[in-house]
DNA sequence: TGCTGTGAAAGAATTCACAGCC
DNA sequence: GGCTGTGAATTCTTTCACAGCA
């Protein structure tokens, strides 16, 4: 039985999007504590470390059904498992990677992914003339839809060069994957039944710059 | 004089964070239109392409002072400049990069950054024994604070291996940079007067997985 | 008619206040 | 005391409805 129910009503939970974005941060904290062998972690300690309110931390954790204990906080091991299974692993561990350039390489060498239970199970390249990376096998992009069907994969990471982004996005759109992590930085249209998370260095930096500016405007 | 004032009240604007995160998407759309030579872009066209409401697009653009024209939409060239200067370029173009691994390489090879006006002006590496990349010069991390002071750089991208993350974060915290784009995926503490944007493949994938799950729960 | 701009209403997310438990 | 869990209050975002303009 899937564990994602609120504690009291036993209704499946719609976790608010902002909460969803914070959950990975909590998970990391719990994992760190697990490594040092600590058993309990309080919302206030987390809040201090992350720079936002303790009540928010509790609400967020409560939203996925995490259960803490008065005076001590949240049990490290159990909460780790709960967050880990909610956030990925388990149902969504198998992921396709589209692209073989520097960005795709960065994804492949990210230790965090496998630590969290995600596994890149196949790599695809849309450009037939792309230099062939020596260290891992990859397939032409056209074969992706077929493999999605055969393997039941539901997640894909799009990390191709900008010029190939649209072509690749179209293939993905028709492929039947449920969600795409779009790292291309190009504005791509996906059917709206697909889940899309867009992330790019550029957008991140822009947001940061805007942030700094806003902070200064308020503070000074 | 800085142009970031609301049109009517002439008060400096506090752009809502969710809006701030969407602005880079609009900017990309405008840039694309600029390339194909089109002069006008309507909020509804944008909305269709991005998959959210037209009213929201108008509110967001309005929040940075963009001004559209009835029946036609928003002027491509002018809005490009406005968004571009609000989001980065101009005041924040010079950026330090910390790290020389695959992730840092991906940042360096990202065409989007320079296209948007950001420039990596120096690269730092905390690990004295890291393999020396042949193609670009870099400096030991200890020199960063000094260079921040001399060059007045305000933004840094943190892209080191996880094991060096904390050490690097400490140096950054004392260095006087105003904002950090943290790509390490490690939970790091920064002084709260610093602006921090965290981004990682892992968090992105986790969010995506949660998203897919939530979508399914609602839809079916 | 076709689109923007805006004040008002609805809906979410965050914060507060306090009850409960060890 | 120290910390969690929760309903109520507040604040922030989004959406709606319509006025205005070319």
């Amino acid at each position: 039985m899937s564990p994602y129910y609120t504690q009291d009503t036993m209704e499946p939970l719609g976790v608010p999007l902002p909460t969803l974005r914070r959950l990975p941060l909590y998970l990391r904290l719990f994992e760190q504590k697990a490594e040092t062998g600590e058993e309990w972690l309080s919302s206030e300690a987390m809040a201090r470390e992350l720079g936002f309110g303790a009540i928010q931390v509790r609400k967020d954790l409560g939203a996925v059904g995490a259960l803490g204990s008065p005076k001590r906080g949240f049990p490290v091991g159990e909460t780790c498992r709960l967050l880990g299974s909610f956030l990925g692993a388990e149902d969504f561990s198998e992921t396709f990677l589209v692209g073989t350039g520097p960005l795709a390489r960065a994804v492949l060498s990210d230790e965090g992914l496998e630590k969290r239970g995600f596994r890149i199970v196949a790599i695809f390249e849309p450009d037939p003339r792309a230099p062939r990376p020596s260290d891992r096998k990859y397939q032409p992009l056209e074969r992706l839809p077929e493999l999605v069907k055969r393997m039941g994969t539901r997640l894909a990471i799009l990390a191709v060069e900008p010029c190939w982004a649209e072509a690749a996005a179209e293939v993905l759109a028709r492929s039947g994957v449920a969600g795409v992590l779009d790292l291309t930085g190009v504005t791509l249209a996906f059917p709206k039944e697909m889940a899309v998370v867009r992330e790019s260095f550029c957008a991140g930096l822009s947001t940061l710059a805007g942030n700094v500016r806003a902070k200064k405007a308020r503070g000074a």
Side-chain angles (χ1 to χ4, degrees), chain A residues 10-191:
Chain A
M10 276 298 153
E11 302 217 313
L13 5 111
V15 180
L17 204 82
T19 295
L20 198 51
R21 265 199 293 265
R22 283 186 300 265
L23 290 177
L25 299 174
Y26 303 137
L27 177 50
R28 281 206 295 255
L29 276 182
F30 277 105
E31 284 170 343
Q32 281 173 3
K33 291 295 166 193
E35 274 173 30
T36 67
E38 282 166 82
E39 307 229 326
W40 300 94
L41 179 53
S42 80
S43 61
E44 300 187 359
M46 290 184 251
R48 223 170 314 126
E49 207 139 354
L50 292 167
F52 32 84
I55 318 100
Q56 182 160 81
V57 175
R58 289 205 293 276
K59 269 264 158 74
D60 286 345
L61 290 175
V64 293
L67 203 50
S69 139
K71 182 129 177 182
R72 290 176 293 187
F74 293 80
V76 170
E78 202 182 312
T79 314
C80 249
R81 271 189 299 282
L82 180 68
L83 282 175
S85 87
F86 183 87
L87 280 178
E90 210 154 286
D91 309 353
F92 295 100
S93 64
E94 307 205 323
T95 303
F96 282 165
L97 174 64
V98 184
T100 56
L103 188 55
R105 282 169 171 278
V107 173
L108 282 171
S109 67
D110 182 341
E111 305 169 15
L113 289 178
E114 87 187 70
K115 199 163 158 194
R116 188 66 45 81
F118 291 109
R119 258 177 36 244
I120 309 289
V121 292
I123 308 173
F124 300 86
E125 170 62 52
D127 184 355
R129 301 191 317 195
R132 189 167 283 265
S134 50
D135 46 351
R136 273 193 79 154
K137 297 251 165 70
Y138 70 90
Q139 328 215 15
L141 181 60
E142 299 90 57
R143 304 206 40 206
L144 187 140
E146 178 199 334
L147 281 168
V148 165
K149 245 153 242 133
R150 260 203 354 240
M151 306 178 60
T153 312
R154 277 178 294 175
L155 260 34
I157 303 175
L158 182 55
V160 299
E161 302 301 310
C163 54
W164 288 95
E166 286 186 52
E170 257 175 57
V171 174
L172 282 173
R174 287 187 278 98
S175 70
V177 290
V180 174
L181 176 60
D182 173 13
L183 304 175
T184 61
V186 178
T187 309
L188 301 169
F190 286 98

